[in-house]
Each structure stands twice: as structure tokens, then as C-alpha cells.
């Protein structure tokens, strides 16, 4: 896993979910925007207080969490 110094988890911010730099922007919100087809530039326009590296770290964090443990998905 790469260096993730912009990812924070605080019990009093967004219910303890992983956020960007203590802001009320969760990793899930950012990754969801990318997954919905928005470009990094569009996400940066929607959240002007975020930086490109924030989004890159959110994606790396999400990828790491996805690989962290095996999750049983329903059969297709």
C-alpha cells in the first residue's frame, strides 16, 4: 500500500468513516463519484477544497480495502 497521509479516521467526523484530511468528505463519496463516471477534474470542480492527490489516495485506499479481506459476493 502506498503512503496514505491524507486519509483520516476520527470518531467525531462522519461517524468514524475514512475521510480526506479530516474534512467531511468520505473516501466512499470520492470513489463513488469516480465509479459513476466523473473524471478527477469533475470531482475537483465539485469539491474545490480537495486536491488531486486527495483523490489519488482515496482510490489507493479503496483498492487496498478491497484487497484486504475476501468478501463473498452473490453469484451472478
Amino acid at each position: 500500500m502506498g503512503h496514505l497521509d491524507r486519509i483520516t479516521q476520527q470518531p467525531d467526523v462522519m461517524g468514524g468513516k475514512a475521510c480526506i484530511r479530516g474534512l467531511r468528505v468520505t473516501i466512499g463519496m470520492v470513489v463513488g463519484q469516480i465509479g459513476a463516471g466523473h473524471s478527477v477534474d469533475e470531482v475537483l470542480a465539485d469539491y474545490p477544497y480537495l486536491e488531486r492527490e486527495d483523490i489519488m489516495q482515496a482510490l489507493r485506499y479503496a483498492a487496498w480495502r478491497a484487497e484486504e479481506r475476501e468478501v463473498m459476493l452473490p453469484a451472478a
Side-chain angles (χ1 to χ4, degrees):
M1 178 178 62
H3 192 58
L4 298 175
D5 59 346
R6 294 172 182 245
I7 309 302
T8 57
Q9 283 185 285
Q10 300 166 282
D12 58 336
V13 178
M14 299 301 284
K17 291 181 179 177
C19 292
I20 307 259
R21 292 185 285 122
L23 300 170
R24 301 184 77 74
V25 179
T26 66
I27 302 306
M29 290 166 57
V30 173
V31 173
Q33 290 288 311
I34 299 293
H38 297 278
S39 69
V40 170
D41 289 331
E42 288 172 323
V43 175
L44 290 171
D46 289 343
Y47 300 93
Y49 38 84
L50 294 183
E51 299 170 5
R52 185 169 298 275
E53 181 59 20
D54 295 328
I55 296 172
M56 295 300 104
Q57 284 195 24
L59 293 170
R60 287 196 300 271
Y61 177 83
W64 171 71
R65 288 300 307 256
E67 293 294 331
E68 184 179 54
R69 61 178 176 231
E70 192 168 318
V71 177
M72 297 302 294
L73 299 175

